[in-house]
């Protein structure tokens, strides 16, 4: 391994060690009881917040408890149920069509491969990775959403812009057994600390190895990791 590559890998190792110390139990903040519910919640979360989706899904799943029921539901009824998540016409269409396909082609079971998942309406690679990770514990790749993308770029873990290329870059820097955890941890770090508008660099445990830090660190990185652990809401 050339010296430069080795240095990059060592930096990444340091970043991931600190990230997992601050976020030892990375989790999905959407509420769900099974892979299908996670799929539907994830489609609804586009351009919305997990909090807003969690307000909507209890009623949606009470009215339509399985893929067959939602797949057969009327468009207008589903639109009304998901309206507050935004882009509700397209989302209602996508969750009905995905549920219909899951019923007709997959016997009401969400498929377990990324190739089959991305065939479902409204499902791209990010959603497929998240559903496989949270629904089945399958590490098909690394979930790269807008937060994970921004944090990976700021940390200097990638120079890419395209989420699939960012994912490939990260997959080369961390063992497969940590793929699920690292994606979820980057999302939480971006949501609560390394925010788009005002990253909290002074209190960030990743400050020293970060290529984009905007201020000097306070205290030790372990103290900052302790604070971040307190900041991130626990899994419900
Ligand atoms: S030091 Fe700042 S830019 Fe770097 S990861 Fe932390 S909060 Fe984000």
């Amino acid at each position: 391994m050339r010296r430069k590559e080795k240095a990059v890998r060592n930096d990444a190792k340091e970043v991931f060690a600190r990230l997992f110390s601050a976020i030892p139990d990375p989790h999905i903040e959407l509420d769900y009881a099974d892979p299908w519910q996670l799929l539907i919640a994830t489609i609804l979360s586009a351009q919305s917040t997990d909090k807003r989706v969690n307000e909507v899904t209890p009623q949606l799943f009470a009215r339509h408890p399985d893929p067959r029921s939602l797949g057969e539901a009327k468009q207008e009824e589903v639109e009304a149920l998901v309206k507050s998540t935004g882009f509700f016409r397209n989302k209602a269409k996508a969750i009905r069509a995905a549920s219909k396909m899951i019923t007709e082609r997959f016997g009401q079971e969400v498929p377990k491969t990324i190739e089959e998942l991305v065939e479902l309406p409204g499902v791209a690679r990010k959603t497929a990775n998240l559903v496989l990770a949270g629904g089945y514990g399958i590490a098909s790749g690394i979930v790269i959403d807008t937060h994970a993308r921004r944090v990976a770029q700021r940390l200097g873990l990638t120079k890419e812009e395209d989420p699939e290329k960012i994912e490939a870059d990260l997959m080369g820097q961390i063992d497969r057994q940590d793929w699920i955890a690292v994606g979820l941890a980057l999302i939480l770090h971006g949501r609560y600390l390394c925010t788009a508008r005002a990253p909290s660099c002074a209190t960030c445990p990743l400050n020293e190895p970060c290529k984009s830090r905007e201020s000097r660190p306070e205290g030790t990185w372990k103290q900052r990791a302790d604070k971040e652990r307190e900041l991130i809401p626990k899994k419900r």
Side-chain angles (χ1 to χ4, degrees):
M1 195 184 287
R2 289 200 303 253
R3 194 183 294 175
K4 199 174 164 197
E5 278 177 37
K6 207 169 167 182
V8 168
R9 275 196 78 93
N10 283 342
D11 277 1
K13 226 173 145 184
E14 176 71 18
V15 163
F16 296 137
R18 292 182 181 211
L19 185 65
F20 289 144
S21 171
I23 311 175
D25 181 25
H27 56 277
I28 295 170
E29 294 193 303
L30 291 166
D31 294 335
Y32 63 97
D34 57 43
W36 173 70
Q37 288 192 359
L38 175 58
L39 173 71
I40 301 305
T42 307
I43 294 173
L44 293 176
S45 71
Q47 311 291 325
S48 186
T49 63
D50 288 3
K51 192 167 173 272
R52 175 58 57 88
V53 173
N54 289 341
E55 286 164 6
V56 160
T57 45
Q59 206 191 345
L60 176 69
F61 296 139
R63 292 277 281 274
H64 300 291
D66 55 41
R68 186 181 305 282
S69 171
L70 187 56
E72 290 174 354
K74 293 240 176 342
Q75 172 73 11
E76 306 74 55
E77 190 227 339
V78 179
E79 282 181 9
L81 286 166
V82 304
K83 191 162 187 176
S84 64
T85 67
F87 302 96
F88 62 96
R89 289 201 178 90
N90 284 345
K91 287 181 183 176
K93 210 165 150 191
I95 61 176
R96 286 174 58 243
S99 297
K100 193 163 187 279
M101 194 187 274
I102 289 168
T103 305
E104 291 172 357
R105 270 190 54 189
F106 301 106
Q108 290 218 87
E109 282 246 336
V110 173
K112 290 183 179 159
T113 68
I114 203 146
E115 293 76 17
E116 290 170 311
L117 271 165
V118 295
E119 284 182 37
L120 298 172
V123 177
R125 190 174 168 90
K126 182 202 82 176
T127 299
N129 273 334
L130 191 72
V131 169
L132 290 172
Y136 294 121
I138 296 172
S140 52
I142 296 176
V143 182
I144 303 294
D145 76 343
T146 178
H147 299 296
R149 177 175 183 262
R150 178 180 69 252
V151 175
Q153 289 172 332
R154 283 178 175 170
L155 285 165
L157 298 173
T158 183
K159 289 188 168 60
E160 299 291 351
E161 290 293 328
D162 175 65
E164 289 195 21
K165 290 184 182 162
I166 294 173
E167 183 186 354
D169 264 357
L170 295 187
M171 283 158 76
Q173 295 174 58
I174 189 158
D175 293 340
R176 188 179 192 126
Q177 66 190 27
D178 290 324
W179 284 359
I180 293 177
V182 83
L184 300 182
L186 287 171
I187 292 170
L188 291 170
H189 186 71
R191 193 173 281 162
Y192 290 100
L193 207 133
C194 186
T195 59
R197 292 206 182 146
S200 306
C201 298
T203 60
C204 176
L206 314 180
N207 184 300
E208 292 87 345
C210 179
K211 304 284 181 278
S212 314
R213 61 179 177 268
E214 292 177 2
S215 47
R216 292 165 65 89
E218 291 171 2
T220 68
W221 78 261
K222 288 201 168 162
Q223 288 167 336
R224 283 174 261 133
D226 289 345
K227 278 194 188 151
E228 183 166 5
R229 220 174 299 126
E230 293 302 312
L231 178 75
I232 293 177
K234 302 279 174 282
K235 191 173 170 54
R236 297 203 284 173

